[in-house]
Amino acid sequence: MRRDTFLKSLAALAAAGSLPLSAQAAAAVKMMLPANPGGGWDTTGRALGKALQDAGQAASVTYDNKGGAAGAIGLAQFVNGSKGDPNAMMVMGAVMLGGIITGKPPVNLTQATPLARLTSEYNVFVLPANSPFKNMAEVIAQLKKDPGSVKWGGGSRGSTEHIAAAMIAREVGVDPSKINYVAFRGGGEAISAILGGNVTVGGSGYSEFAEYIGTGKMKPIGVTSGQRLKGVDVPTLKEQGINVEIGNWRGVYGAPGITKAQRDALVAMIEKATKSKAWAEALQKNDWTPAWLAGDAFGEFVDQEFASLRATMVKSGMV
């Protein structure tokens, strides 16, 4: 076949969507980041995009930040605007499940296509540098005295730090419905509020606060892990007599209406990306724990997590 004829045939196949799926996906990935810049989803999505390019799985990656409502605004745009698009991806995680449970948005994750769980991370609670409190024990004492006077700052309603705050209250004998939780649209807003002393306690994934903890601008007073984080000298809540443990995982979904073959091609792309040098560097830089789970197994995991989170939130008086 002549070269010009071959190229015309290739162009026709691409226009018809009949090229090999990997070739289509490698053309231009569109990444929905359902949060404002500076937070965990934003960081995860951009790290994945860099890894996709580093691994030769994407020729280019464009990002679209749509924050608010624990990711529901971005989810709605993704579901309604990317149907059948084999190159579209959306970052999500445990926070989005909590937001769906509390906010009951008109769109749902079941309308999109589960691809893979990428990482897991535990939350850390911090005090502003100028806080009158020195540790979690003093915060708890004030919480028992006057629940509303302790302002907990973090992600959207239903985020893992919101759930953890409610669980802490319940464990220490305070009505979870009385906690004063201030929800922010993204990690950047929460960080500004904590640094400015506008909240009593801040909560988020350790990686989001690590820089400020390292410089002394935030004082860590407890992590939600079962054991102390590797290389991090912060006591767990359990060490401090508060029986609370909760993790924050993050993953990626594909567009509604893609075929199984298209889904599998995307999963293969993402898996190759997670084996790249760029992804390894992102894991180390952000203290993320790899938590790979893909396809149907990931979809089943999300269903189980949804049921488990809902049960926890009902017990904590959040639903």
Side-chain angles (χ1 to χ4, degrees), residues 80-117:
N80 295 323
S82 64
K83 292 176 182 175
D85 187 344
N87 295 327
M89 299 183 192
M90 178 190 71
V91 176
M92 50 74 68
V95 173
M96 184 174 282
L97 304 192
I100 290 172
I101 292 168
T102 57
K104 301 176 183 177
V107 292
N108 203 295
L109 268 173
T110 56
Q111 294 169 264
T113 306
L115 298 177
R117 184 182 66 190

PDB file of all heavy atoms in Angstrom, residues 80-117:
ATOM      1  N   ASN A  80     -21.880  14.019  32.341  1.00  0.00           N
ATOM      2  CA  ASN A  80     -22.705  14.597  31.272  1.00  0.00           C
ATOM      3  C   ASN A  80     -21.921  15.000  30.035  1.00  0.00           C
ATOM      4  O   ASN A  80     -22.474  15.075  28.939  1.00  0.00           O
ATOM      5  CB  ASN A  80     -23.463  15.823  31.800  1.00  0.00           C
ATOM      6  CG  ASN A  80     -24.466  15.459  32.881  1.00  0.00           C
ATOM      7  OD1 ASN A  80     -25.105  14.422  32.812  1.00  0.00           O
ATOM      8  ND2 ASN A  80     -24.597  16.310  33.893  1.00  0.00           N
ATOM      9  N   GLY A  81     -20.623  15.262  30.211  1.00  0.00           N
ATOM     10  CA  GLY A  81     -19.867  15.792  29.086  1.00  0.00           C
ATOM     11  C   GLY A  81     -18.861  14.867  28.435  1.00  0.00           C
ATOM     12  O   GLY A  81     -18.215  15.255  27.453  1.00  0.00           O
ATOM     13  N   SER A  82     -18.706  13.650  28.947  1.00  0.00           N
ATOM     14  CA  SER A  82     -17.668  12.779  28.380  1.00  0.00           C
ATOM     15  C   SER A  82     -18.184  11.400  27.980  1.00  0.00           C
ATOM     16  O   SER A  82     -17.399  10.461  27.864  1.00  0.00           O
ATOM     17  CB  SER A  82     -16.519  12.620  29.386  1.00  0.00           C
ATOM     18  OG  SER A  82     -16.976  11.963  30.554  1.00  0.00           O
ATOM     19  N   LYS A  83     -19.483  11.270  27.791  1.00  0.00           N
ATOM     20  CA  LYS A  83     -20.062   9.952  27.472  1.00  0.00           C
ATOM     21  C   LYS A  83     -19.381   9.322  26.254  1.00  0.00           C
ATOM     22  O   LYS A  83     -19.262   9.934  25.201  1.00  0.00           O
ATOM     23  CB  LYS A  83     -21.565  10.099  27.213  1.00  0.00           C
ATOM     24  CG  LYS A  83     -22.350  10.470  28.463  1.00  0.00           C
ATOM     25  CD  LYS A  83     -23.817  10.703  28.162  1.00  0.00           C
ATOM     26  CE  LYS A  83     -24.562  11.133  29.425  1.00  0.00           C
ATOM     27  NZ  LYS A  83     -25.976  11.478  29.154  1.00  0.00           N
ATOM     28  N   GLY A  84     -18.931   8.083  26.440  1.00  0.00           N
ATOM     29  CA  GLY A  84     -18.322   7.335  25.348  1.00  0.00           C
ATOM     30  C   GLY A  84     -16.914   7.762  24.973  1.00  0.00           C
ATOM     31  O   GLY A  84     -16.361   7.235  24.007  1.00  0.00           O
ATOM     32  N   ASP A  85     -16.316   8.686  25.701  1.00  0.00           N
ATOM     33  CA  ASP A  85     -14.977   9.182  25.370  1.00  0.00           C
ATOM     34  C   ASP A  85     -13.919   8.249  25.963  1.00  0.00           C
ATOM     35  O   ASP A  85     -13.731   8.211  27.180  1.00  0.00           O
ATOM     36  CB  ASP A  85     -14.802  10.602  25.916  1.00  0.00           C
ATOM     37  CG  ASP A  85     -13.499  11.239  25.465  1.00  0.00           C
ATOM     38  OD1 ASP A  85     -12.597  10.511  25.000  1.00  0.00           O
ATOM     39  OD2 ASP A  85     -13.375  12.479  25.584  1.00  0.00           O
ATOM     40  N   PRO A  86     -13.183   7.508  25.124  1.00  0.00           N
ATOM     41  CA  PRO A  86     -12.198   6.543  25.637  1.00  0.00           C
ATOM     42  C   PRO A  86     -10.914   7.190  26.144  1.00  0.00           C
ATOM     43  O   PRO A  86     -10.026   6.506  26.642  1.00  0.00           O
ATOM     44  CB  PRO A  86     -11.915   5.659  24.416  1.00  0.00           C
ATOM     45  CG  PRO A  86     -12.102   6.579  23.257  1.00  0.00           C
ATOM     46  CD  PRO A  86     -13.228   7.498  23.648  1.00  0.00           C
ATOM     47  N   ASN A  87     -10.811   8.513  26.026  1.00  0.00           N
ATOM     48  CA  ASN A  87      -9.612   9.214  26.489  1.00  0.00           C
ATOM     49  C   ASN A  87      -9.858  10.031  27.748  1.00  0.00           C
ATOM     50  O   ASN A  87      -8.968  10.730  28.214  1.00  0.00           O
ATOM     51  CB  ASN A  87      -9.079  10.143  25.395  1.00  0.00           C
ATOM     52  CG  ASN A  87      -8.595   9.380  24.180  1.00  0.00           C
ATOM     53  OD1 ASN A  87      -8.084   8.276  24.304  1.00  0.00           O
ATOM     54  ND2 ASN A  87      -8.782   9.953  23.013  1.00  0.00           N
ATOM     55  N   ALA A  88     -11.067   9.969  28.298  1.00  0.00           N
ATOM     56  CA  ALA A  88     -11.416  10.789  29.463  1.00  0.00           C
ATOM     57  C   ALA A  88     -11.207  10.016  30.761  1.00  0.00           C
ATOM     58  O   ALA A  88     -11.543   8.837  30.856  1.00  0.00           O
ATOM     59  CB  ALA A  88     -12.869  11.246  29.353  1.00  0.00           C
ATOM     60  N   MET A  89     -10.660  10.703  31.754  1.00  0.00           N
ATOM     61  CA  MET A  89     -10.459  10.125  33.083  1.00  0.00           C
ATOM     62  C   MET A  89     -10.875  11.131  34.151  1.00  0.00           C
ATOM     63  O   MET A  89     -10.842  12.334  33.920  1.00  0.00           O
ATOM     64  CB  MET A  89      -8.992   9.742  33.321  1.00  0.00           C
ATOM     65  CG  MET A  89      -8.424   8.703  32.385  1.00  0.00           C
ATOM     66  SD  MET A  89      -6.715   8.313  32.858  1.00  0.00           S
ATOM     67  CE  MET A  89      -6.186   7.373  31.418  1.00  0.00           C
ATOM     68  N   MET A  90     -11.243  10.639  35.307  1.00  0.00           N
ATOM     69  CA  MET A  90     -11.588  11.498  36.444  1.00  0.00           C
ATOM     70  C   MET A  90     -10.981  10.936  37.715  1.00  0.00           C
ATOM     71  O   MET A  90     -11.169   9.763  38.033  1.00  0.00           O
ATOM     72  CB  MET A  90     -13.105  11.599  36.612  1.00  0.00           C
ATOM     73  CG  MET A  90     -13.528  12.451  37.815  1.00  0.00           C
ATOM     74  SD  MET A  90     -15.294  12.344  38.182  1.00  0.00           S
ATOM     75  CE  MET A  90     -15.389  10.659  38.834  1.00  0.00           C
ATOM     76  N   VAL A  91     -10.269  11.782  38.462  1.00  0.00           N
ATOM     77  CA  VAL A  91      -9.729  11.379  39.757  1.00  0.00           C
ATOM     78  C   VAL A  91     -10.848  11.431  40.792  1.00  0.00           C
ATOM     79  O   VAL A  91     -11.707  12.307  40.755  1.00  0.00           O
ATOM     80  CB  VAL A  91      -8.571  12.305  40.174  1.00  0.00           C
ATOM     81  CG1 VAL A  91      -8.063  11.964  41.571  1.00  0.00           C
ATOM     82  CG2 VAL A  91      -7.432  12.208  39.171  1.00  0.00           C
ATOM     83  N   MET A  92     -10.869  10.485  41.707  1.00  0.00           N
ATOM     84  CA  MET A  92     -11.890  10.444  42.761  1.00  0.00           C
ATOM     85  C   MET A  92     -11.319   9.697  43.955  1.00  0.00           C
ATOM     86  O   MET A  92     -10.164   9.311  43.957  1.00  0.00           O
ATOM     87  CB  MET A  92     -13.174   9.770  42.245  1.00  0.00           C
ATOM     88  CG  MET A  92     -12.987   8.432  41.551  1.00  0.00           C
ATOM     89  SD  MET A  92     -12.600   7.036  42.640  1.00  0.00           S
ATOM     90  CE  MET A  92     -14.148   6.874  43.534  1.00  0.00           C
ATOM     91  N   GLY A  93     -12.159   9.510  44.983  1.00  0.00           N
ATOM     92  CA  GLY A  93     -11.687   8.771  46.143  1.00  0.00           C
ATOM     93  C   GLY A  93     -12.736   8.669  47.222  1.00  0.00           C
ATOM     94  O   GLY A  93     -13.919   8.971  46.988  1.00  0.00           O
ATOM     95  N   ALA A  94     -12.301   8.283  48.399  1.00  0.00           N
ATOM     96  CA  ALA A  94     -13.219   8.071  49.520  1.00  0.00           C
ATOM     97  C   ALA A  94     -14.037   9.315  49.821  1.00  0.00           C
ATOM     98  O   ALA A  94     -15.212   9.233  50.202  1.00  0.00           O
ATOM     99  CB  ALA A  94     -12.434   7.641  50.760  1.00  0.00           C
ATOM    100  N   VAL A  95     -13.427  10.489  49.647  1.00  0.00           N
ATOM    101  CA  VAL A  95     -14.123  11.751  49.931  1.00  0.00           C
ATOM    102  C   VAL A  95     -15.374  11.897  49.077  1.00  0.00           C
ATOM    103  O   VAL A  95     -16.410  12.373  49.543  1.00  0.00           O
ATOM    104  CB  VAL A  95     -13.176  12.945  49.702  1.00  0.00           C
ATOM    105  CG1 VAL A  95     -13.922  14.266  49.814  1.00  0.00           C
ATOM    106  CG2 VAL A  95     -12.024  12.907  50.701  1.00  0.00           C
ATOM    107  N   MET A  96     -15.283  11.488  47.817  1.00  0.00           N
ATOM    108  CA  MET A  96     -16.434  11.616  46.918  1.00  0.00           C
ATOM    109  C   MET A  96     -17.590  10.736  47.386  1.00  0.00           C
ATOM    110  O   MET A  96     -18.759  11.133  47.295  1.00  0.00           O
ATOM    111  CB  MET A  96     -16.046  11.258  45.475  1.00  0.00           C
ATOM    112  CG  MET A  96     -17.172  11.472  44.473  1.00  0.00           C
ATOM    113  SD  MET A  96     -16.662  11.215  42.754  1.00  0.00           S
ATOM    114  CE  MET A  96     -15.792  12.761  42.430  1.00  0.00           C
ATOM    115  N   LEU A  97     -17.283   9.551  47.905  1.00  0.00           N
ATOM    116  CA  LEU A  97     -18.345   8.672  48.395  1.00  0.00           C
ATOM    117  C   LEU A  97     -19.077   9.337  49.551  1.00  0.00           C
ATOM    118  O   LEU A  97     -20.312   9.335  49.616  1.00  0.00           O
ATOM    119  CB  LEU A  97     -17.766   7.326  48.845  1.00  0.00           C
ATOM    120  CG  LEU A  97     -16.942   6.516  47.843  1.00  0.00           C
ATOM    121  CD1 LEU A  97     -16.715   5.105  48.376  1.00  0.00           C
ATOM    122  CD2 LEU A  97     -17.585   6.471  46.479  1.00  0.00           C
ATOM    123  N   GLY A  98     -18.309   9.925  50.478  1.00  0.00           N
ATOM    124  CA  GLY A  98     -18.916  10.605  51.613  1.00  0.00           C
ATOM    125  C   GLY A  98     -19.764  11.775  51.171  1.00  0.00           C
ATOM    126  O   GLY A  98     -20.855  12.020  51.709  1.00  0.00           O
ATOM    127  N   GLY A  99     -19.297  12.503  50.163  1.00  0.00           N
ATOM    128  CA  GLY A  99     -20.045  13.641  49.653  1.00  0.00           C
ATOM    129  C   GLY A  99     -21.356  13.232  49.009  1.00  0.00           C
ATOM    130  O   GLY A  99     -22.374  13.917  49.131  1.00  0.00           O
ATOM    131  N   ILE A 100     -21.344  12.105  48.312  1.00  0.00           N
ATOM    132  CA  ILE A 100     -22.560  11.596  47.674  1.00  0.00           C
ATOM    133  C   ILE A 100     -23.572  11.170  48.736  1.00  0.00           C
ATOM    134  O   ILE A 100     -24.777  11.413  48.613  1.00  0.00           O
ATOM    135  CB  ILE A 100     -22.219  10.420  46.726  1.00  0.00           C
ATOM    136  CG1 ILE A 100     -21.459  10.949  45.495  1.00  0.00           C
ATOM    137  CG2 ILE A 100     -23.486   9.682  46.292  1.00  0.00           C
ATOM    138  CD1 ILE A 100     -20.901   9.862  44.603  1.00  0.00           C
ATOM    139  N   ILE A 101     -23.056  10.553  49.805  1.00  0.00           N
ATOM    140  CA  ILE A 101     -23.945  10.098  50.889  1.00  0.00           C
ATOM    141  C   ILE A 101     -24.623  11.282  51.574  1.00  0.00           C
ATOM    142  O   ILE A 101     -25.820  11.255  51.848  1.00  0.00           O
ATOM    143  CB  ILE A 101     -23.153   9.256  51.915  1.00  0.00           C
ATOM    144  CG1 ILE A 101     -22.710   7.932  51.275  1.00  0.00           C
ATOM    145  CG2 ILE A 101     -24.004   8.976  53.151  1.00  0.00           C
ATOM    146  CD1 ILE A 101     -21.680   7.163  52.091  1.00  0.00           C
ATOM    147  N   THR A 102     -23.858  12.344  51.838  1.00  0.00           N
ATOM    148  CA  THR A 102     -24.430  13.489  52.553  1.00  0.00           C
ATOM    149  C   THR A 102     -25.168  14.453  51.629  1.00  0.00           C
ATOM    150  O   THR A 102     -26.187  15.025  52.003  1.00  0.00           O
ATOM    151  CB  THR A 102     -23.336  14.275  53.299  1.00  0.00           C
ATOM    152  OG1 THR A 102     -22.333  14.707  52.366  1.00  0.00           O
ATOM    153  CG2 THR A 102     -22.689  13.435  54.369  1.00  0.00           C
ATOM    154  N   GLY A 103     -24.654  14.647  50.413  1.00  0.00           N
ATOM    155  CA  GLY A 103     -25.240  15.645  49.525  1.00  0.00           C
ATOM    156  C   GLY A 103     -26.338  15.143  48.610  1.00  0.00           C
ATOM    157  O   GLY A 103     -27.137  15.914  48.106  1.00  0.00           O
ATOM    158  N   LYS A 104     -26.360  13.814  48.364  1.00  0.00           N
ATOM    159  CA  LYS A 104     -27.347  13.209  47.481  1.00  0.00           C
ATOM    160  C   LYS A 104     -27.483  13.957  46.151  1.00  0.00           C
ATOM    161  O   LYS A 104     -28.564  14.424  45.793  1.00  0.00           O
ATOM    162  CB  LYS A 104     -28.712  13.136  48.178  1.00  0.00           C
ATOM    163  CG  LYS A 104     -28.691  12.330  49.467  1.00  0.00           C
ATOM    164  CD  LYS A 104     -30.018  12.349  50.178  1.00  0.00           C
ATOM    165  CE  LYS A 104     -29.955  11.595  51.496  1.00  0.00           C
ATOM    166  NZ  LYS A 104     -31.228  11.661  52.263  1.00  0.00           N
ATOM    167  N   PRO A 105     -26.382  14.107  45.402  1.00  0.00           N
ATOM    168  CA  PRO A 105     -26.439  14.824  44.127  1.00  0.00           C
ATOM    169  C   PRO A 105     -27.225  14.036  43.076  1.00  0.00           C
ATOM    170  O   PRO A 105     -27.415  12.828  43.225  1.00  0.00           O
ATOM    171  CB  PRO A 105     -24.965  14.933  43.730  1.00  0.00           C
ATOM    172  CG  PRO A 105     -24.325  13.748  44.371  1.00  0.00           C
ATOM    173  CD  PRO A 105     -25.038  13.575  45.681  1.00  0.00           C
ATOM    174  N   PRO A 106     -27.668  14.702  42.013  1.00  0.00           N
ATOM    175  CA  PRO A 106     -28.448  14.029  40.970  1.00  0.00           C
ATOM    176  C   PRO A 106     -27.640  13.043  40.135  1.00  0.00           C
ATOM    177  O   PRO A 106     -28.210  12.204  39.444  1.00  0.00           O
ATOM    178  CB  PRO A 106     -28.965  15.182  40.112  1.00  0.00           C
ATOM    179  CG  PRO A 106     -27.990  16.295  40.354  1.00  0.00           C
ATOM    180  CD  PRO A 106     -27.568  16.144  41.779  1.00  0.00           C
ATOM    181  N   VAL A 107     -26.316  13.151  40.179  1.00  0.00           N
ATOM    182  CA  VAL A 107     -25.469  12.202  39.457  1.00  0.00           C
ATOM    183  C   VAL A 107     -24.827  11.253  40.462  1.00  0.00           C
ATOM    184  O   VAL A 107     -24.720  11.569  41.645  1.00  0.00           O
ATOM    185  CB  VAL A 107     -24.365  12.906  38.645  1.00  0.00           C
ATOM    186  CG1 VAL A 107     -24.976  13.693  37.504  1.00  0.00           C
ATOM    187  CG2 VAL A 107     -23.528  13.805  39.540  1.00  0.00           C
ATOM    188  N   ASN A 108     -24.385  10.090  39.974  1.00  0.00           N
ATOM    189  CA  ASN A 108     -23.785   9.105  40.862  1.00  0.00           C
ATOM    190  C   ASN A 108     -22.606   8.442  40.187  1.00  0.00           C
ATOM    191  O   ASN A 108     -22.516   8.418  38.945  1.00  0.00           O
ATOM    192  CB  ASN A 108     -24.829   8.049  41.256  1.00  0.00           C
ATOM    193  CG  ASN A 108     -24.465   7.357  42.567  1.00  0.00           C
ATOM    194  OD1 ASN A 108     -23.467   6.655  42.661  1.00  0.00           O
ATOM    195  ND2 ASN A 108     -25.287   7.571  43.584  1.00  0.00           N
ATOM    196  N   LEU A 109     -21.709   7.898  40.988  1.00  0.00           N
ATOM    197  CA  LEU A 109     -20.535   7.209  40.443  1.00  0.00           C
ATOM    198  C   LEU A 109     -20.899   6.020  39.578  1.00  0.00           C
ATOM    199  O   LEU A 109     -20.146   5.641  38.686  1.00  0.00           O
ATOM    200  CB  LEU A 109     -19.627   6.741  41.593  1.00  0.00           C
ATOM    201  CG  LEU A 109     -18.520   7.700  42.028  1.00  0.00           C
ATOM    202  CD1 LEU A 109     -17.839   7.165  43.265  1.00  0.00           C
ATOM    203  CD2 LEU A 109     -17.509   7.899  40.908  1.00  0.00           C
ATOM    204  N   THR A 110     -22.059   5.428  39.840  1.00  0.00           N
ATOM    205  CA  THR A 110     -22.457   4.252  39.063  1.00  0.00           C
ATOM    206  C   THR A 110     -22.657   4.588  37.591  1.00  0.00           C
ATOM    207  O   THR A 110     -22.704   3.699  36.746  1.00  0.00           O
ATOM    208  CB  THR A 110     -23.765   3.648  39.609  1.00  0.00           C
ATOM    209  OG1 THR A 110     -24.781   4.657  39.617  1.00  0.00           O
ATOM    210  CG2 THR A 110     -23.570   3.124  41.027  1.00  0.00           C
ATOM    211  N   GLN A 111     -22.751   5.872  37.262  1.00  0.00           N
ATOM    212  CA  GLN A 111     -22.925   6.282  35.872  1.00  0.00           C
ATOM    213  C   GLN A 111     -21.597   6.328  35.122  1.00  0.00           C
ATOM    214  O   GLN A 111     -21.580   6.373  33.891  1.00  0.00           O
ATOM    215  CB  GLN A 111     -23.606   7.661  35.823  1.00  0.00           C
ATOM    216  CG  GLN A 111     -25.036   7.658  36.337  1.00  0.00           C
ATOM    217  CD  GLN A 111     -25.590   9.052  36.533  1.00  0.00           C
ATOM    218  OE1 GLN A 111     -25.574   9.600  37.633  1.00  0.00           O
ATOM    219  NE2 GLN A 111     -26.076   9.649  35.465  1.00  0.00           N
ATOM    220  N   ALA A 112     -20.476   6.361  35.862  1.00  0.00           N
ATOM    221  CA  ALA A 112     -19.151   6.360  35.250  1.00  0.00           C
ATOM    222  C   ALA A 112     -18.547   4.964  35.335  1.00  0.00           C
ATOM    223  O   ALA A 112     -19.168   4.033  35.834  1.00  0.00           O
ATOM    224  CB  ALA A 112     -18.264   7.394  35.936  1.00  0.00           C
ATOM    225  N   THR A 113     -17.321   4.820  34.841  1.00  0.00           N
ATOM    226  CA  THR A 113     -16.686   3.503  34.712  1.00  0.00           C
ATOM    227  C   THR A 113     -15.475   3.370  35.636  1.00  0.00           C
ATOM    228  O   THR A 113     -14.470   4.072  35.452  1.00  0.00           O
ATOM    229  CB  THR A 113     -16.230   3.271  33.260  1.00  0.00           C
ATOM    230  OG1 THR A 113     -17.339   3.466  32.377  1.00  0.00           O
ATOM    231  CG2 THR A 113     -15.682   1.858  33.081  1.00  0.00           C
ATOM    232  N   PRO A 114     -15.536   2.483  36.651  1.00  0.00           N
ATOM    233  CA  PRO A 114     -14.385   2.317  37.550  1.00  0.00           C
ATOM    234  C   PRO A 114     -13.172   1.755  36.817  1.00  0.00           C
ATOM    235  O   PRO A 114     -13.282   0.767  36.086  1.00  0.00           O
ATOM    236  CB  PRO A 114     -14.902   1.328  38.604  1.00  0.00           C
ATOM    237  CG  PRO A 114     -16.055   0.620  37.962  1.00  0.00           C
ATOM    238  CD  PRO A 114     -16.655   1.600  37.005  1.00  0.00           C
ATOM    239  N   LEU A 115     -12.027   2.389  37.000  1.00  0.00           N
ATOM    240  CA  LEU A 115     -10.797   1.939  36.344  1.00  0.00           C
ATOM    241  C   LEU A 115      -9.804   1.353  37.341  1.00  0.00           C
ATOM    242  O   LEU A 115      -9.475   0.180  37.276  1.00  0.00           O
ATOM    243  CB  LEU A 115     -10.144   3.104  35.582  1.00  0.00           C
ATOM    244  CG  LEU A 115     -10.950   3.719  34.442  1.00  0.00           C
ATOM    245  CD1 LEU A 115     -10.198   4.909  33.836  1.00  0.00           C
ATOM    246  CD2 LEU A 115     -11.261   2.678  33.367  1.00  0.00           C
ATOM    247  N   ALA A 116      -9.346   2.184  38.292  1.00  0.00           N
ATOM    248  CA  ALA A 116      -8.323   1.672  39.211  1.00  0.00           C
ATOM    249  C   ALA A 116      -8.208   2.506  40.478  1.00  0.00           C
ATOM    250  O   ALA A 116      -8.371   3.720  40.450  1.00  0.00           O
ATOM    251  CB  ALA A 116      -6.964   1.628  38.514  1.00  0.00           C
ATOM    252  N   ARG A 117      -7.925   1.823  41.584  1.00  0.00           N
ATOM    253  CA  ARG A 117      -7.522   2.494  42.818  1.00  0.00           C
ATOM    254  C   ARG A 117      -6.015   2.651  42.741  1.00  0.00           C
ATOM    255  O   ARG A 117      -5.303   1.714  42.373  1.00  0.00           O
ATOM    256  CB  ARG A 117      -7.912   1.648  44.031  1.00  0.00           C
ATOM    257  CG  ARG A 117      -7.625   2.298  45.379  1.00  0.00           C
ATOM    258  CD  ARG A 117      -8.001   1.365  46.520  1.00  0.00           C
ATOM    259  NE  ARG A 117      -7.152   0.182  46.557  1.00  0.00           N
ATOM    260  CZ  ARG A 117      -7.369  -0.883  47.331  1.00  0.00           C
ATOM    261  NH1 ARG A 117      -8.424  -0.926  48.118  1.00  0.00           N
ATOM    262  NH2 ARG A 117      -6.527  -1.918  47.311  1.00  0.00           N
TER     263      ARG A 117
END
